[in-house]
Amino acid sequence: MPTGDEFDLIARHFAPLANDPAARGLLDDAAFWPVDGPLVLTCDAIVEGVHFLPDDPLDQIARKAVRVNVSDLAAKGARAEGLLVCLMWPQARPARDLALFAQGLQSDLAHFAVRLLGGDTTTTPGPLSIAVTAIGRLAGPRCPARADAEPGEDLWVSGAIGDGYLGLLARRGAIAGPATALAALTQRYQAPDARAALAGLMASHAGAAMDVSDGLIADAGKIAAASGVGLRIEASRIPLSQAAIVVLGANPIPPAQLYTGGDDYELLFTAPQAARSDIIAAGASAGVELTQIGQVVVGAGVEVVGADGGPLPGLERGGFIHRFTT
Amino acid sequence: MPTGDEFDLIARHFAPLANDPAARGLLDDAAFWPVDGPLVLTCDAIVEGVHFLPDDPLDQIARKAVRVNVSDLAAKGARAEGLLVCLMWPQARPARDLALFAQGLQSDLAHFAVRLLGGDTTTTPGPLSIAVTAIGRLAGPRCPARADAEPGEDLWVSGAIGDGYLGLLARRGAIAGPATALAALTQRYQAPDARAALAGLMASHAGAAMDVSDGLIADAGKIAAASGVGLRIEASRIPLSQAAIVVLGANPIPPAQLYTGGDDYELLFTAPQAARSDIIAAGASAGVELTQIGQVVVGAGVEVVGADGGPLPGLERGGFIHRFTT
């Protein structure tokens, strides 16, 4: 007997996901969670038409909402332990579609072994919007800030850069290539890997760390600015996925565009040279490739050098910025 | 030099509000908060056109976003200690208006002595939407659930019922009355009192407790259902504010409509009869009127009885429900 009020919908779709006693079955007004700190907390929203496309699958949208937050915690050396999910559901979307959203949410709660603590479900006359708060605890001795880079350290990145950007182009039908490559890139755009398995490494060995969401160059610039250092990146070392390499071969896209596209959700971090073997071992243990792409230097800003040692062309735009009306 | 990117806007408007070291000046990707639990957590969003009017003042909108969450924590016996504020700002609203929003936020951070831990600021093609996560700790021995009412207990409510509903009517120009009364009611709609001062009472003496946001009768029904009891409310005891009494005298509104209107954000709770004098004393100490409006009885549902002991007319609609498309 499908009805349309929020209490029924929460009871049907979300309460079964909240199996930790702290959530009180989502039947109460707040969660009561016996956790001890210190805690690492983050809150990121994704909005239809800004962070995902209106016809992206709802299970993937739910997973992206979770992952952008899990990724932030991982960069700060923390594993997510609890989530609060605030869902603003368009009046025009059928409530039955909540089932697919809840399915994606459930899948990621299991994947990251995180408890759903609570949330809110409301209607909106606007676009589908999801605000998630993620709370975790440190997986090692310290919580690396953006401001913690020191000259002499290496600069590292996890996984591969540019897949999210190419996945968005693939979703828009703007690039050609083998279907398997386009599907892999689309998947990385819709539900990016979040490097939760690297939280321990970040908390043990990273100097500065953050996740790359607005583009590698732009986000490197944030570490440089916060730390009062320069970052020197060797373009030839920036890791690309096999799918990206195939698609770059079939489309007139300069690789530099991948360094400024958003939606990577890889971890960018600095670490002492003495930690290199520990870092490689931690990456292997986590099943995530880690690549040393440059160095922290005395100075300011981000310099990307090509194979000839000169500055790389095509970097006019640093990264994605939310532009507000002034 | 006004610019329009999110980092400048956060630095200018919100970073000055985040003066607790846990927030890392809002310059990092997450907060690092040395708190020990157990924690009480809640997350509520407010959306333009659903929870507030498009031309409501932005400082009041910010305060409402805070207060609906502080109110939830108070009902659960907790004082808010940290907030994360996720702001989805319409592309069509000038960024300079963020200053007024931030001013309202700052005012309530001070009023409730709560720290801004973090958040997110993004653009949206839709309505202004704000999702707040509030985290607090218990102000007494227990966290009252909706399910904790026992037959024989009294039913209490804080403050006055119906002001939020009348304030919405006043904002819409739908009711007449003295300007001072209309202004007082408008204020209660735009930035409801949140009964943070009663958190200790809830954690010490309440059986079941919740805040009234969807209408007194509807929310009483939730306690009745969750606890497996009936609630008997005497209509003549339901407290009304002086402004509401004046406006009811000047407009053809049956008082029963006030019991089903939303946006009260008063606390509704049950307590043993033996606690009466403690409750009265706690209300006096907090400066909040507390009124015993009925009893918890064996049975189910909510019965509102008039002065003649019979059922009260005009209660066709229980309360506000977010209707979803089925």
Side-chain angles (χ1 to χ4, degrees):
Chain A
M1 195 178 71
T3 64
D5 86 45
E6 67 199 275
F7 312 108
D8 284 343
L9 294 172
I10 292 168
R12 187 174 337 130
H13 296 295
F14 298 118
L17 281 51
N19 48 19
D20 189 286
R24 293 186 162 182
L26 304 185
L27 291 170
D28 219 305
D29 308 275
F32 181 66
W33 189 23
V35 67
D36 275 333
L39 300 177
V40 185
L41 306 101
T42 191
C43 175
D44 260 356
I46 63 172
V47 176
E48 176 181 342
V50 180
H51 305 90
F52 60 90
L53 300 173
D55 61 346
D56 276 337
L58 281 159
D59 54 343
Q60 303 289 39
I61 294 169
R63 296 168 80 206
K64 185 164 197 171
V66 170
R67 286 164 182 233
V68 301
N69 284 281
V70 167
S71 175
D72 267 329
L73 289 192
K76 302 292 116 177
R79 289 195 196 97
E81 299 197 9
L83 299 183
L84 295 106
V85 178
C86 204
L87 177 61
M88 289 147 273
W89 190 259
Q91 284 149 2
R93 282 191 189 248
R96 62 177 174 274
D97 289 355
L98 274 169
L100 186 57
F101 182 90
Q103 191 178 306
L105 179 59
Q106 180 158 39
S107 145
D108 262 8
L109 292 174
H111 181 68
F112 295 109
V114 59
R115 55 176 74 67
L116 180 63
L117 286 171
D120 186 23
T121 301
T122 180
T123 54
T124 176
L128 175 59
S129 306
I130 307 113
V132 172
T133 294
I135 305 174
R137 285 188 295 177
L138 278 183
R142 61 184 289 279
C143 179
R146 293 183 182 183
D148 293 341
E150 298 278 356
E153 288 182 327
D154 294 328
L155 182 67
W156 294 79
V157 75
S158 67
I161 290 295
D163 284 5
Y165 173 71
L166 291 175
L168 175 59
L169 295 185
R171 278 286 286 124
R172 288 180 173 157
I175 52 174
T180 49
L182 297 180
L185 297 168
T186 297
Q187 174 63 32
R188 290 260 289 164
Y189 170 72
Q190 288 183 336
D193 300 328
R195 303 304 187 183
L198 298 178
L201 172 63
M202 294 303 111
S204 299
H205 291 294
M210 68 182 295
D211 71 337
V212 179
S213 57
D214 294 336
L216 175 66
I217 309 302
D219 288 336
K222 291 168 200 166
I223 288 181
S227 297
V229 299
L231 296 178
R232 188 172 191 278
I233 297 176
E234 293 170 64
S236 64
R237 287 174 172 260
I238 296 173
L240 304 182
S241 70
Q242 278 306 313
I245 290 166
V246 167
V247 164
L248 284 184
N251 297 271
I253 300 172
Q257 274 192 27
L258 274 53
Y259 315 153
T260 59
D263 283 301
D264 288 314
Y265 298 100
E266 296 291 358
L267 301 190
L268 179 68
F269 60 101
T270 69
Q273 293 186 12
R276 281 182 189 173
S277 59
D278 287 334
I279 290 169
I280 297 294
S285 160
V288 182
E289 200 179 348
L290 297 173
T291 310
Q292 190 238 319
I293 58 169
Q295 288 80 33
V296 185
V297 297
V298 174
V302 180
E303 183 188 23
V304 184
V305 294
D308 61 355
L312 200 74
L315 286 177
E316 304 77 18
R317 195 183 90 119
F320 183 80
I321 289 173
H322 288 283
R323 285 277 159 209
F324 290 75
T325 310
T326 49
Chain B
M1 195 178 70
T3 63
D5 86 46
E6 65 200 275
F7 313 108
D8 284 345
L9 293 173
I10 292 168
R12 190 177 331 133
H13 296 297
F14 298 119
L17 281 51
N19 49 18
D20 188 287
R24 293 185 163 182
L26 303 185
L27 292 170
D28 220 303
D29 307 274
F32 181 66
W33 189 24
V35 68
D36 276 332
L39 300 177
V40 184
L41 306 100
T42 192
C43 175
D44 260 356
I46 63 172
V47 176
E48 175 182 344
V50 180
H51 305 89
F52 59 90
L53 301 173
D55 61 345
D56 276 337
L58 281 159
D59 54 342
Q60 303 288 41
I61 294 168
R63 297 168 81 205
K64 186 164 196 170
V66 170
R67 286 164 182 231
V68 300
N69 284 281
V70 168
S71 175
D72 268 329
L73 290 192
K76 301 293 118 175
R79 290 195 195 95
E81 298 198 9
L83 298 183
L84 295 106
V85 178
C86 203
L87 178 61
M88 289 146 273
W89 189 258
Q91 284 149 3
R93 282 190 189 250
R96 63 177 173 274
D97 290 355
L98 274 169
L100 186 55
F101 182 90
Q103 191 178 306
L105 179 58
Q106 179 158 41
S107 145
D108 262 7
L109 292 174
H111 181 67
F112 295 109
V114 59
R115 55 177 72 68
L116 180 63
L117 286 172
D120 187 22
T121 301
T122 181
T123 55
T124 176
L128 174 59
S129 307
I130 307 113
V132 172
T133 295
I135 306 174
R137 286 189 294 180
L138 278 183
R142 61 183 288 279
C143 179
R146 292 182 182 184
D148 294 341
E150 299 279 355
E153 288 182 329
D154 293 329
L155 181 68
W156 294 79
V157 73
S158 67
I161 290 297
D163 285 6
Y165 173 71
L166 292 175
L168 175 59
L169 295 185
R171 277 286 285 125
R172 288 181 172 156
I175 50 174
T180 50
L182 296 179
L185 296 169
T186 297
Q187 174 64 33
R188 289 259 291 165
Y189 169 72
Q190 290 182 335
D193 300 329
R195 303 304 187 182
L198 298 178
L201 172 64
M202 294 303 111
S204 300
H205 291 294
M210 67 182 296
D211 71 336
V212 179
S213 58
D214 294 335
L216 175 67
I217 308 302
D219 288 336
K222 292 168 199 164
I223 288 181
S227 297
V229 298
L231 295 178
R232 188 171 192 277
I233 297 176
E234 293 170 63
S236 64
R237 286 174 172 260
I238 297 173
L240 304 183
S241 70
Q242 277 307 311
I245 291 167
V246 166
V247 164
L248 285 184
N251 297 271
I253 299 172
Q257 275 192 24
L258 273 53
Y259 314 153
T260 59
D263 283 301
D264 286 315
Y265 297 100
E266 295 291 358
L267 302 190
L268 179 68
F269 61 101
T270 69
Q273 294 187 11
R276 282 182 187 174
S277 59
D278 286 334
I279 290 169
I280 296 295
S285 160
V288 181
E289 199 178 350
L290 296 173
T291 308
Q292 190 239 320
I293 59 170
Q295 286 83 33
V296 185
V297 297
V298 174
V302 180
E303 182 187 25
V304 184
V305 294
D308 61 357
L312 201 73
L315 286 178
E316 303 74 19
R317 195 183 91 117
F320 182 79
I321 290 174
H322 289 281
R323 284 277 159 209
F324 290 75
T325 310
T326 50

